[in-house]
Amino acid sequence: MERNWWKESVVYQIYPRSFNDSNGDGIGDIPGIIEKLDYLKYLGIDVIWLSPVYQSPNDDNGYDISHYDQIMEDFGTMEDWEHLLAEVHNRGMKLIMDLVVNHTSDEHGWFQEAKKSKDNKYREYYIWRSGKEDGKEPNNWGATFGGSAWEYNEETEDYYLHLFSPKQPDLNWENPELREEIYTMMRKWLDRGIDGFRMDVINFISKTPGLPDAPKEEDETYASGGQFFMNGPRIHEFLQEMNEKALKGYDVMTVGEMPGVDVEEAKKYTDLNRNELQMVFQFEHMDLDSGPGGKFDLKPLDLRDLKKSISRWQTGLNGIGWNSLYLNNHDQPRVVSRFGDDKNYHDESAKMLGTFLHMLQGTPYIYQGEEIGMTNIKFDSIEDYRDIETINYYNEQVYEKGRDKNEVMESIYVKGRDNARTPVQWDDSPHAGFTTGEPWIKVNDNYETINAEKALQDEESIFHYYRKLIQLRKEHDVIVYGDYELLLPEDEKVFAYKRRLDDDILFVLTNFSDETVEVNVPENIEINQPELLIGNYKGEKQFNSKTTLQPYEARVYKGKHRDGSGSPVL
Ligand code: NOJ
């Protein structure tokens, strides 16, 4: 397998609004990030992915960009950003930027022009259609943040498409002029010296011509329409063109966020011979605890489903493309609250989940606060929530559908995006040391017990455990490049897998339950001289063919393949 720096890297995602505020206005900013670079270096990460810092009216916290070449005032200036890049590079780390080009803000200059008249120069930068004969929206697609995906524009007496909020009009990638503008903009950032891009919903940019109505359930007002814009007809062509015209010649990493991508499609996106992307963010494992009604339709995770899904991706991309590995980001609830137990086994389950993820084949992504085990929040009132998706969902369910408020809040507590967006808990001072002012969103009440300062001082903390996980990846090639094999597929509590690179074998055992469980180690583990590399419970952990795992226990053994050197143990 080809070796690449981005396969050997660990990425850390910063959501700037909530990371660290340097000037007391209650909003995280770029100088605040610079203050914490030594902390990140100490953690051991290689690459920082910065969620959008461009000028934006913040309808969707920066994922609605009004100027691609300016920094949002709340976050600082272009000089601050340049300083950040230099300081990241000085410490031997890399910086990748968020590229949001499926849509802009409606306050972007292009859209401000485009909406003026049908013969405006920028009209074809966006997607316009006349209403149906009865004047209704051009098709039945719904927007991700609720309502129709179409918004009426008075001036031109027709509709524009927005797959997200009405303040996020979709760009028209069919227009070669628009594509050239995007590539020019990308090259400008690349020439500033960045190390790559995370590409927002990049598999949405090619829409099926004709934008047909999509099938929908009778009780639904709108259809999702996903089959007509996810992985659309020209997507591979567009990405290859982007590669040719923008990325080629730069030694950078690219990861495309891709809702609705499956393994077969991901092979095409990430096969380096095809010159598209290096990795995709897929969502299969993040959808396993949702029912047919979507993310807020709660369903418990069945570990066997997670095994099937992860294994399909691990084996599917092996030797062809490359996986990105994540359990958290700014759109997902905190994983320790989701798949762990943030009450009774907080540290144990956070460490177990980290172990499970970091020992897989792929590039791991850590989301800010994950390394100290930050948890979900429960604000009593919807007034305290800031996320457009959450607020729209609440209003729609409570005021349009008449559902019980408490029931709706239950779903928001489990799945709302603000779970991930509360300020990073730096210490136990007011507002967790995030700001000296009033934070834009409330801090989680548990900051006195869960915070970075405390974690740094405690050698047994989740933080230090993550440091070790990251370090192990640097020391053992089998963790990065080894093949993957699932063990114990039917076990409902233990996720066990094996990695192999030449003679090296890695054996990963993780208990996803709050029970003590007996494990019979399968014969095909074929390991000699196994040594414990890391574990989240104290004490000597001799390798045995029968072993007992404590609640949320994780252990990783490394040894030699039986046919290789060493005396047999099993
Ligand atoms: C995906 C981003 O991660 C999310 O935060 C955003 O709301 C949508 N794309 C729209 O840009």
Side-chain angles (χ1 to χ4, degrees):
M1 187 187 304
E2 195 184 316
R3 302 202 165 210
N4 304 90
W5 63 264
W6 43 267
K7 291 181 181 163
E8 296 167 11
S9 294
V10 175
V11 183
Y12 186 95
Q13 182 192 353
I14 292 182
Y15 192 68
R17 209 170 185 77
S18 307
F19 190 66
N20 185 35
D21 174 22
S22 73
N23 63 0
D25 66 357
I27 299 172
D29 49 40
I30 294 174
I33 299 174
I34 298 172
E35 286 174 9
K36 299 295 182 186
L37 290 179
D38 288 335
Y39 167 87
L40 296 180
K41 182 68 190 170
Y42 183 57
L43 178 59
I45 56 104
D46 307 281
V47 178
I48 294 171
W49 149 27
L50 199 55
S51 275
V53 291
Y54 315 94
Q55 192 185 84
S56 162
N58 282 308
D59 189 52
D60 186 19
N61 286 354
Y63 282 92
D64 49 321
I65 297 172
S66 52
H67 204 306
Y68 286 112
D69 208 24
Q70 279 176 20
I71 300 294
M72 191 192 301
E73 255 177 64
D74 289 340
F75 292 165
T77 61
M78 191 57 92
E79 286 69 46
D80 291 330
W81 180 85
E82 275 163 0
H83 185 197
L84 170 68
L85 181 67
E87 291 296 324
V88 169
H89 284 166
N90 281 343
R91 287 166 177 79
M93 297 186 288
K94 294 179 189 285
L95 183 71
I96 69 170
M97 297 291 280
D98 221 306
L99 182 77
V100 187
V101 291
N102 173 67
H103 45 267
T104 65
S105 162
D106 65 339
E107 297 182 33
H108 192 289
W110 297 340
F111 191 77
Q112 290 295 310
E113 282 300 312
K115 70 175 193 183
K116 283 184 184 161
S117 70
K118 287 189 169 165
D119 54 11
N120 189 281
K121 173 171 179 299
Y122 290 96
R123 163 105 176 160
E124 294 303 320
Y125 275 40
Y126 295 89
I127 302 172
W128 301 92
R129 292 287 183 278
S130 310
K132 285 190 174 155
E133 271 158 31
D134 56 4
K136 290 238 179 76
E137 294 94 359
N139 72 21
N140 66 357
W141 302 356
T144 300
F145 299 150
S148 164
W150 295 94
E151 185 77 3
Y152 189 69
N153 180 47
E154 297 283 343
E155 287 100 319
T156 52
E157 297 180 335
D158 57 2
Y159 291 84
Y160 65 87
L161 179 72
H162 60 88
L163 294 178
F164 294 89
S165 104
K167 285 186 67 64
Q168 292 167 296
D170 277 54
L171 286 165
N172 177 17
W173 275 72
E174 298 294 324
N175 176 1
E177 237 179 281
L178 175 269
R179 302 206 297 276
E180 288 301 328
E181 289 252 27
I182 301 286
Y183 305 146
T184 306
M185 176 272 283
M186 288 172 71
R187 284 196 304 270
K188 199 156 179 188
W189 282 101
L190 289 163
D191 289 337
R192 288 186 169 121
I194 65 165
D195 303 291
F197 291 110
R198 173 268 186 187
M199 303 184 185
D200 193 67
V201 288
I202 199 68
N203 64 331
F204 286 14
I205 60 178
S206 164
K207 277 86 175 166
T208 299
L211 312 177
D213 273 334
K216 66 171 186 68
E217 301 298 324
E218 242 173 62
D219 59 340
E220 287 172 344
T221 323
Y222 299 105
S224 108
Q227 62 271 55
F228 297 125
F229 58 78
M230 290 172 172
N231 315 304
R234 298 183 70 189
I235 183 66
H236 295 288
E237 176 197 335
F238 291 160
L239 289 176
Q240 285 168 10
E241 183 185 80
M242 177 192 279
N243 216 292
E244 181 64 31
K245 296 194 169 177
L247 297 163
K248 200 164 116 186
Y250 298 92
D251 180 21
V252 292
M253 68 168 264
T254 52
V255 50
E257 188 209 22
M258 298 201 173
V261 69
D262 63 14
V263 177
E264 286 315 305
E265 206 63 31
K267 283 185 193 168
K268 296 189 200 155
Y269 287 123
T270 65
D271 177 349
L272 293 185
N273 297 319
R274 291 173 53 92
N275 294 320
E276 296 184 22
L277 301 171
Q278 294 157 351
M279 287 172 257
V280 302
F281 285 132
Q282 53 95 7
F283 286 79
E284 253 181 45
H285 64 306
M286 293 283 97
D287 294 337
L288 297 174
D289 57 352
S290 302
K295 70 182 265 185
F296 290 110
D297 180 7
L298 308 180
K299 178 183 143 190
L301 173 74
D302 181 333
L303 189 65
R304 289 165 303 183
D305 292 341
L306 185 67
K307 291 180 184 184
K308 276 188 216 133
S309 169
I310 295 288
S311 303
R312 196 165 48 241
W313 283 87
Q314 288 285 300
T315 51
L317 295 193
N318 186 28
I320 297 170
W322 192 247
N323 273 289
S324 63
L325 309 170
Y326 74 96
L327 291 170
N328 284 283
N329 63 37
H330 63 292
D331 295 328
Q332 300 293 336
R334 294 281 180 183
V335 76
V336 64
S337 306
R338 186 180 191 176
F339 297 157
D341 179 341
D342 63 7
K343 304 267 166 338
N344 304 312
Y345 296 100
H346 176 264
D347 288 18
E348 293 86 347
S349 62
K351 290 176 187 173
M352 182 281 288
L353 290 160
T355 314
F356 156 71
L357 194 78
H358 282 249
M359 294 298 125
L360 290 168
Q361 189 192 73
T363 299
Y365 290 73
I366 300 171
Y367 176 66
Q368 64 185 36
E370 175 183 337
E371 76 281 10
I372 55 169
M374 280 180 61
T375 66
N376 282 354
I377 32 114
K378 275 190 179 180
F379 296 148
D380 292 336
S381 160
I382 189 69
E383 301 292 312
D384 288 328
Y385 285 83
R386 299 285 174 265
D387 168 32
I388 179 173
E389 180 186 58
T390 301
I391 296 167
N392 287 358
Y393 172 74
Y394 181 90
N395 289 339
E396 180 191 281
Q397 297 297 312
V398 174
Y399 300 115
E400 285 170 35
K401 302 206 166 148
R403 280 184 58 204
D404 175 60
K405 274 184 189 171
N406 296 328
E407 195 187 299
V408 174
M409 286 308 279
E410 277 313 310
S411 287
I412 291 173
Y413 291 155
V414 176
K415 286 291 184 66
R417 303 197 296 181
D418 281 339
N419 282 311
R421 298 177 180 186
T422 59
V424 172
Q425 295 160 210
W426 294 108
D427 56 38
D428 62 5
S429 66
H431 305 309
F434 163 72
T435 180
T436 52
E438 230 0 83
W440 70 279
I441 185 170
K442 278 188 175 175
V443 172
N444 193 319
D445 283 343
N446 62 17
Y447 71 92
E448 285 175 10
T449 44
I450 300 174
N451 65 63
E453 189 180 59
K454 193 163 165 250
L456 284 165
Q457 284 160 7
D458 173 8
E459 271 178 35
E460 302 295 324
S461 68
I462 301 165
F463 179 90
H464 285 289
Y465 191 91
Y466 263 68
R467 278 188 73 205
K468 190 159 175 199
L469 287 173
I470 296 168
Q471 195 52 38
L472 285 173
R473 196 161 254 274
K474 310 267 176 267
E475 291 164 2
H476 304 279
D477 277 356
V478 61
I479 302 178
V480 179
Y481 293 108
D483 290 351
Y484 163 98
E485 189 186 327
L486 178 68
L487 305 167
L488 312 171
E490 293 309 322
D491 195 301
E492 290 172 38
K493 296 183 181 122
V494 176
F495 198 140
Y497 59 89
K498 166 180 161 185
R499 307 280 312 279
R500 179 177 178 183
L501 183 69
D502 305 323
D503 265 355
D504 285 339
I505 300 275
L506 196 77
F507 175 40
V508 182
L509 263 176
T510 51
N511 179 3
F512 271 70
S513 81
D514 59 1
E515 289 165 36
T516 304
V517 289
E518 286 274 305
V519 181
N520 288 315
V521 176
E523 258 300 295
N524 60 350
I525 181 70
E526 299 173 310
I527 196 170
N528 278 347
Q529 301 171 329
E531 256 181 72
L532 187 72
L533 285 189
I534 191 168
N536 62 351
Y537 275 77
K538 280 206 186 127
E540 189 58 30
K541 300 287 179 185
Q542 201 65 55
F543 186 89
N544 286 312
S545 53
K546 201 182 186 89
T547 197
T548 304
L549 293 178
Q550 301 301 312
Y552 295 102
E553 182 164 2
R555 282 189 228 162
V556 180
Y557 294 96
K558 190 186 164 201
K560 289 287 169 197
H561 187 252
R562 239 194 231 160
D563 295 340
S565 59
S567 54
V569 167
L570 281 177

